């Protein structure tokens, strides 16, 4: 929780952030570019996209100065890369025009449970009432990486008042939802090709800036070198002024902007006196600096005067805070300076990095201190700093940063650091690098045994060290399959560390929960993971919160509480944010929600969740979950009748996965299930053959097979969200071959065990297969009786694809059930999802929606009618999403389509239009509610 003092500091913003920069006195207005802007400004959204140095900001300042509209300007920086900071800054920009704007929003933004959609809706309505023709300019939007900001800004763009305009300046294309707006003709773009100077404009600019006119050949040469890059042109002018031999200058230039920058930097340095030149080179060591910092590191007392002098000479130095305390160079200029410093003053460079490291450590900025220690090749110091911050890094979703540091350390030094090896082991576990995890874990144990754990008693992280070593011991037993030992280690670890060591207890409880999961002890696992999630929230350890809540949701799913599991997934999405971005461990929840949506035949919505899981699993380097995602996509494609595309996805995924885990059978299991779905039982048999399938085994051996394979069921932890049960695939293969001998006995083993352990999801799947075995064996009476039991268990949770995915045999059995009048409505719903008898299952989300596209005079689809009814009942978007098991973005898209079809701009208008068209009757709804 951010403290109140910190929040108040965040509310205060430098006024320079909300003031458009001044237009340089020598700015050259370009008629072609002006006309391009006048045309672009007819659209609601204007994107100005070009690399650094193409004059985006100056161009916008000049163009907007000619517009008679209120303009809210915001210069973005990294401090704005979280939802609170971004919208706080944007409201401050608008308040410069209307001081009362956004008063309630500023207050609500400080609430961690804020509903951004409600807040933004209020802001939009306030904008319509106060400044409907507002122009909002977001300069340097490329610094924003937060997905939460991108989503909230996309919402603003979608509902921007008709007279308002949003202008984004960025070095790259922002990841915003612009497709619908583009399709409606509301987006205009001004890019590099527009901002690049033409030869004629280059001629005009150079002749305007130079004291002596340049020859045509010289200008052409400069133009070919810079390719219309305005920063390069201006630097050339600076270098040329006072240079007697322009020809020497030209022939020495490189052929790229970087080469030009390097040469021009030399020219600029040569024109400075030695003191200024040295100051420029030395300050290039820092990505940002202040006078106080320079005075301390350089042992001087005139840094403020030097900064003022460099600024006055326009040497690409700019302030980055409102007080003018902190500064940075243009990135290309700094890079060129640093290269010169590295080439000519290597010893001094190393010395400065070391002093910078010491200074940053005194300031409490340990990561900066560590970076500079590495640059100075001070490896012992780096390890010392690493010991202080590794416990923090392990709780964040930034393992790439951790590995970057370690890869720059000599191996012999790394092997002597206890915390570094612990950090490596934990990172490998998170990214499923099992062999490396074992190596680093053993190294950590060896160091702690050699030195004795008591040697670390004076460390401020001693309790954390005890807890983390306990987690590693549990992991060792867990990976060896010694689950009783893992649980014993967990109990000993909880007894050994104090109650206030929250992170350590959180990690131990998580591993204890996973160990109980391996035993199939779901409720014990549930209680451990639930407590671990609670401790994770207390410790603000979001990775662990998401991981443990995902386990909780998965166990609810396993116990057949689908609605409850889906609600937990939505909780994870709201909690799983770190620095405004969704944390990688939320990927498990996305995939689990996809599985729930899939079971309800919401295929498009399920696929949307899978893509989100893929994105997060790649970020967190989760190969097994990535495989689950790819195979789930293939399964959806099969369900949509796209068999060829499905198997291409699955085959590529298997090849990729096998390259990393050649001895793992998970991909084979998933491939076998897919081939069964498309009716290729012989190929499915091939995938199972080397694992356990032998045609002539007797029943005793088959029972042994069942006992062995059941371990794989309970060994699937939360990271294998969409896994398959090997024994049940074996049963399906035998069924496809009409060979039922001994299958009932095998299924009885799983049935009894799943029932005893409360694994209800597996139990229902087993009962369905029992029905098919009886039906295939010719015992239709028993088959119908068993099927009735399965239908009774699944109807309330609206399970669909668990039946449909069994293919034609299930279709025939359900038809028999319909003739007998068994669960008539539910059975009819299931049969409607099958194609004609004898065909492969191919339920298409798109064809299903097309079939009801013209329902009710062709106006709304069934899904849109469901959402409209909930809107009319006053449900929020979040409530609709939970009620219908949709993602929030899907609900928003449906609502936008409903608005378009009803010619409405908001909810109130939509309700009125629905009543006018007879799509909604308030009285009928009220009567229904009373009933």
């Amino acid at each position: 929780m951010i403290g109140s003092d910190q929040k108040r500091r965040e509310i205060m913003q430098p006024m320079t952030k909300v003031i458009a920069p001044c237009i340089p006195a020598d700015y050259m207005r370009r008629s072609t570019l002006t006309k391009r802007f006048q045309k672009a400004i007819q659209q609601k959204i204007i994107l100005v996209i070009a690399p650094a140095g193409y004059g985006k900001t100056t161009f916008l300042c000049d163009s907007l100065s000619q517009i008679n509209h209120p303009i809210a300007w915001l210069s973005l920086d990294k401090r704005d890369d979280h939802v609170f900071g971004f919208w706080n800054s944007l409201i401050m920009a608008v308040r410069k025009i209307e001081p009362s704007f956004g008063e309630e929003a500023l207050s609500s933004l400080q609430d961690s449970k804020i509903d951004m959609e409600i807040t933004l809706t209020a802001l939009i309505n306030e904008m319509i009432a106060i400044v409907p023709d507002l122009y909002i300019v977001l300069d340097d939007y490329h610094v924003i990486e937060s997905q939460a900001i991108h989503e909230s800004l996309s919402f603003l763009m979608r509902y921007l008042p008709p007279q308002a305009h949003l202008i984004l300046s960025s070095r790259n294309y922002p990841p915003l939802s612009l497709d619908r707006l583009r399709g409606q003709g509301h987006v205009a773009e001004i890019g590099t090709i527009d901002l690049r100077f033409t030869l004629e404009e280059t001629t005009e600019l150079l002749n305007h800036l130079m004291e002596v006119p340049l020859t045509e050949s010289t200008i052409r040469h400069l133009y070919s070198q810079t390719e219309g890059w305005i920063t390069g042109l201006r630097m050339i002018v600076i270098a040329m002024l006072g240079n007697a031999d322009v020809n020497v200058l030209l022939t020495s230039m490189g052929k790229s902007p970087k080469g030009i920058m390097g040469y021009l930097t030399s020219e600029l340095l040569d024109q400075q006196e030695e003191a200024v030149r040295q100051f420029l080179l030395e300050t290039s060591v820092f990505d940002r600096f202040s006078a106080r910092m320079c005075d301390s590191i350089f042992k001087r007392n005139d840094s403020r005067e030097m900064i003022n002098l460099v600024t006055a000479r326009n040497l690409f130095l700019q302030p980055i805070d409102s007080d003018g305390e902190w500064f940075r160079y243009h990135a290309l200029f700094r890079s060129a300076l640093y290269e010169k410093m590295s080439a000519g003053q290597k010893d001094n460079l190393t010395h400065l990095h070391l002093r910078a490291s010491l200074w940053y450590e005194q300031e409490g900025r340990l990561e900066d201190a560590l970076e500079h220690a590495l640059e100075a090749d001070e490896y012992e110091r780096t390890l010392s700093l690493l010991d202080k911050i590794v416990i923090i890094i392990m709780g964040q979703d930034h393992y790439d940063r951790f590995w970057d540091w370690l890869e720059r350390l000599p191996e012999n030094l790394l092997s002597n650091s206890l915390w570094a090896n612990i950090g490596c082991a934990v990172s490998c576990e998170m990214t499923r690098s099992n062999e490396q995890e074992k190596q680093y874990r053993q190294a950590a144990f060896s160091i702690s045994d050699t030195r004795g754990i008591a040697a670390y008693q004076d460390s401020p992280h001693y309790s954390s060290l005890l807890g983390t070593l306990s987690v590693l011991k549990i992991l060792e037993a867990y990976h060896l399959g010694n689950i009783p030992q893992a649980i014993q280690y967990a109990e000993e670890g909880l007894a050994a560390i104090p109650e206030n060591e929250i992170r350590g207890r959180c990690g131990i409880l998580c591993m204890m929960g996973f160990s109980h999961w391996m035993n199939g002890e779901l409720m014990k696992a549930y209680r451990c993971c639930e407590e671990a999630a609670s401790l994770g929230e207390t410790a603000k350890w979001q990775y662990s919160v998401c991981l443990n809540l995902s386990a909780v949701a998965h166990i609810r799913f396993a116990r057949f509480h689908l609605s409850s599991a889906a609600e937990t997934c939505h909780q994870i999405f709201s909690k799983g944010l770190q620095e405004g971005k969704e944390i990688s461990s939320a990927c498990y929840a996305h995939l689990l929600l996809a599985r729930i949506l899939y079971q309800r035949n919401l295929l498009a919505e399920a696929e949307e969740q899978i893509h989100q899981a893929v994105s997060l699993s790649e970020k967190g380097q989760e190969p097994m979950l990535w495989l689950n995602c790819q195979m789930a996509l293939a399964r959806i494609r099969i369900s949509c009748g796209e068999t060829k595309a499905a198997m291409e996805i699955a085959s590529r995924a298997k090849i990729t996965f096998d390259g990393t885990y050649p001895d793992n059978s998970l991909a084979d299991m998933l491939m076998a299930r897919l081939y069964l779905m498309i009716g290729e039982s012989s190929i499915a048999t091939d995938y199972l053959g080397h694992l356990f399938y032998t045609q002539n085994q007797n029943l005793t051996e088959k029972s042994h097979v069942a006992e062995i394979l059941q371990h794989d069921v309970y060994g699937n932890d939360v990271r294998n969200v969409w896994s398959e049960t090997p024994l049940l695939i074996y049963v399906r293969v035998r069924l496809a071959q009409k060979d039922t001998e001994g299958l009932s006995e095998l299924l009885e083993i799983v049935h009894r065990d799943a029932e005893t352990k409360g694994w209800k999801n597996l139990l229902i799947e087993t009962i369905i297969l029992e029905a098919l075995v009886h039906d295939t064996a010719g015992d239709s009476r028993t088959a119908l009786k068993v099927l009735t039991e399965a239908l009774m268990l699944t109807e309330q949770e609206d399970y669909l694809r668990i039946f449909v995915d069994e293919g034609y045999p299930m279709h025939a059995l359900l038809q028999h059930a319909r003739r007998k009048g068994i669960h008539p409505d539910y059975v009819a719903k299931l049969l409607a999802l099958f194609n004609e008898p004898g065909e492969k299952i191919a339920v298409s989300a798109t064809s299903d929606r097309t079939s009801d596209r013209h329902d009710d005079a062709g106006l709304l689809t069934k899904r849109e009618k469901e959402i409209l009814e909930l809107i009319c009942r006053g449900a929020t978007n979040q409530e609709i999403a939970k009620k219908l098991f949709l993602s929030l973005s899907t609900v928003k898209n449906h609502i936008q389509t409903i608005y378009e079809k009803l010619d409405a701009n908001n909810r109130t208008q939509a309700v009125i239009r629905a009543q006018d068209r007879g799509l909604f009757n308030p009285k009928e709804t009220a009567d229904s509610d009373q009933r």
Side-chain angles (χ1 to χ4, degrees), residues 1-12 84 110:
M1 182 76 68
I2 298 173
S4 58
D5 289 340
Q6 185 175 347
K7 284 183 178 178
R8 283 195 291 271
R9 286 199 299 272
E10 289 182 334
I11 289 174
M12 297 298 295
F84 172 79
Q110 300 186 45

Side-chain angles (χ1 to χ4, degrees), residues 13-289:
Q13 296 289 351
M15 287 304 295
T16 51
K17 285 173 62 68
V18 296
I19 299 175
C22 295
I23 303 170
D26 59 0
Y27 178 72
M28 189 186 82
R29 184 168 294 163
R30 303 156 62 193
S31 59
T32 303
L33 194 54
T34 299
K35 290 177 183 177
R36 179 73 186 88
F37 181 80
Q38 289 170 348
K39 182 178 179 181
I41 207 65
Q42 297 174 20
Q43 314 306 326
K44 289 177 65 174
I45 312 297
I46 299 96
L47 304 178
V48 183
I49 312 294
Y54 276 88
K56 300 183 292 293
T57 301
T58 307
F59 153 69
L60 283 176
C61 291
D62 177 67
S63 299
L64 292 170
S65 68
Q66 304 171 55
I67 292 178
N68 188 24
H69 286 276
I71 297 170
W73 181 285
L74 176 58
S75 297
L76 296 164
D77 56 47
K78 275 297 181 183
R79 293 171 297 178
D80 300 306
D81 194 23
H82 57 92
V83 170
F84 172 79
F86 179 86
W87 287 104
N88 175 75
S89 296
L90 186 50
I91 291 171
M92 290 295 104
V94 181
R95 293 185 83 170
K96 190 170 178 295
I97 300 166
E98 177 50 60
S100 64
F101 181 79
E103 193 67 43
E104 292 184 7
L106 280 175
S107 176
S108 65
L109 280 169
Q110 300 186 45
D111 185 353
S112 61
K113 299 180 180 179
I114 179 178
D115 185 324
M116 279 303 301
E117 188 171 308
I118 294 175
T119 301
L120 292 178
T121 300
L123 280 176
I124 292 167
N125 292 339
E126 193 173 355
M127 192 185 302
I128 293 172
I130 300 175
V131 279
D133 58 343
L134 178 67
Y135 280 57
I136 300 173
V137 182
L138 300 177
D139 196 23
D140 288 340
Y141 191 79
H142 54 267
V143 304
I144 300 300
E145 298 178 356
S146 166
Q147 184 61 33
I149 294 177
H150 297 322
E151 291 175 359
S152 58
L153 188 62
S154 296
F155 181 88
L156 173 67
M157 291 191 302
R158 195 177 308 133
Y159 299 106
L160 200 65
Q163 301 95 330
H165 295 270
L166 179 64
I167 303 172
L168 269 70
S169 167
S170 176
R171 293 179 185 175
N172 43 51
Y173 278 94
L176 300 168
S177 302
L178 294 169
D179 290 346
R180 183 184 294 272
L181 290 167
R182 288 184 196 278
Q184 296 169 344
H186 292 325
V187 180
E189 294 182 12
I190 296 174
T192 305
I193 195 169
D194 300 302
L195 294 168
R196 181 181 291 139
F197 271 49
T198 65
L199 176 60
E200 292 73 22
E201 289 170 335
T202 301
T203 301
E204 184 180 350
L205 175 71
L206 293 175
N207 286 333
H208 173 69
L209 295 178
M210 292 296 293
E211 297 171 351
V212 178
L214 300 174
T215 65
E216 181 178 344
S217 61
T218 299
I219 292 174
R220 284 185 178 278
H221 182 75
L222 293 176
Y223 179 73
S224 67
Q225 296 293 299
T226 62
E227 297 181 342
W229 182 48
I230 182 61
T231 297
L233 287 168
R234 288 188 171 275
M235 293 193 71
I236 287 170
V237 170
I238 294 173
M240 282 182 170
L241 292 175
N243 194 310
D245 195 341
V246 173
N247 290 326
V248 173
L249 174 72
L250 295 176
T251 55
S252 302
M253 289 182 180
K255 294 185 178 181
S256 68
K258 184 177 179 181
I260 293 172
M261 183 64 83
Y263 181 77
L264 293 177
T265 300
S266 296
E267 290 296 305
L268 290 172
L269 285 173
D270 289 344
Q271 294 178 22
Q272 312 304 319
E273 55 269 39
E274 179 58 28
V276 176
R277 182 178 181 278
Q278 188 62 22
F279 186 81
L280 289 168
L281 290 171
E282 290 181 342
T283 48
S284 71
V285 173
F286 319 118
D287 60 352
R288 58 186 59 201
F289 57 89

Side-chain angles (χ1 to χ4, degrees), residues 486-586:
I487 294 172
Q488 180 183 336
Y489 283 152
E491 291 169 347
E492 291 172 356
L494 290 174
I497 64 175
E499 291 285 339
N500 61 359
E501 178 42 45
I502 298 174
R503 279 181 181 268
R505 300 186 76 83
C506 178
I508 292 171
L509 281 165
C510 176
M511 286 310 306
M512 180 182 277
F514 275 54
S515 298
H516 284 305
W517 192 312
M518 286 279 281
N519 272 351
E521 300 168 320
L522 293 184
M523 291 315 297
K524 288 183 178 180
Y526 183 93
R527 287 189 288 271
C528 288
C529 292
E530 192 173 45
E531 185 178 352
S534 177
L535 290 175
E537 286 202 64
T538 302
K540 296 182 176 56
W541 189 3
Q542 296 310 111
Y543 187 98
S544 182
V545 171
C546 291
L547 178 63
N548 283 286
L549 281 181
S550 294
V552 167
H554 200 169
I555 292 169
R556 287 177 175 171
F557 175 80
R559 292 181 64 81
F560 212 65
H561 303 308
L562 273 69
S563 299
S564 175
E567 288 177 8
T568 304
C569 290
H570 284 291
Q571 288 177 20
I572 293 168
F573 303 152
S574 63
K575 293 179 179 181
L577 297 175
Q578 182 172 291
E579 298 175 0
K581 303 171 190 174
E582 197 165 15
I583 204 161
S584 68
S585 53

Side-chain angles (χ1 to χ4, degrees), residues 601-754:
N601 204 48
L602 298 170
L603 304 182
E605 291 83 353
E607 184 168 343
E608 181 182 334
Q609 292 296 324
I610 290 171
H611 287 306
Q612 184 65 17
V614 168
S615 174
L616 292 172
S617 68
E618 288 175 343
K619 172 186 173 187
Q621 301 175 37
E622 286 281 5
M624 287 194 177
L625 188 129
W626 177 86
L627 177 68
N628 274 248
C629 289
Q630 299 305 312
M631 294 299 188
L633 284 174
R635 192 160 181 162
I636 289 174
R637 296 272 70 78
I638 291 173
S639 300
C640 293
E642 301 169 16
T643 302
K644 182 178 180 181
M647 300 319 294
E648 285 178 356
I649 292 171
S651 297
R652 287 197 302 268
K654 175 174 165 51
I655 291 170
T656 301
F657 184 79
D658 286 350
T660 306
Y661 296 98
D663 299 325
N664 193 291
S665 63
L666 179 60
D668 290 323
M669 292 292 99
L670 295 169
M671 289 294 290
R673 183 67 180 102
L674 294 177
Y675 275 111
L676 285 170
M677 284 184 67
I678 64 174
E680 298 285 357
S681 60
S682 60
I683 301 179
T685 302
D686 291 340
Y687 275 104
L688 298 184
H690 68 283
L691 295 171
F692 65 89
Y693 185 85
T694 303
Q695 186 69 35
N696 298 317
Q697 287 177 309
N698 61 37
L699 184 60
T700 304
E701 289 172 331
K702 289 172 186 171
S703 300
H704 180 61
V705 167
E707 182 181 342
I708 294 171
L709 290 175
Q710 276 178 266
H711 176 78
D712 285 342
V713 177
Y714 305 122
N716 284 328
D717 66 30
V718 71
R719 289 178 284 195
N720 289 336
V721 175
W722 209 311
S723 56
E724 289 289 341
T725 308
L727 179 58
L728 298 189
I729 297 177
Y730 171 83
V731 171
R732 289 185 177 99
V733 168
R734 294 276 304 282
L735 276 173
Q737 297 169 344
K738 307 298 183 184
D739 176 11
T740 61
E741 183 185 356
L743 292 188
S744 292
E745 292 86 346
L746 286 176
L747 289 173
E748 177 59 28
I749 296 172
V750 184
H751 186 126
R752 188 168 54 247
D753 200 30

Side-chain angles (χ1 to χ4, degrees), residues 891-923:
V891 170
K892 291 176 182 176
N893 289 336
H894 278 307
I895 290 175
Q896 183 63 29
T897 303
I898 291 169
Y899 285 172
E900 291 171 3
K901 290 184 177 182
L902 296 181
D903 192 25
N905 294 321
N906 52 49
R907 283 174 169 249
T908 302
Q909 288 184 4
V911 173
I912 294 171
R913 301 282 195 279
Q915 291 177 13
D916 290 344
R917 293 172 180 264
L919 296 170
F920 171 69
N921 188 322
K923 185 177 185 305

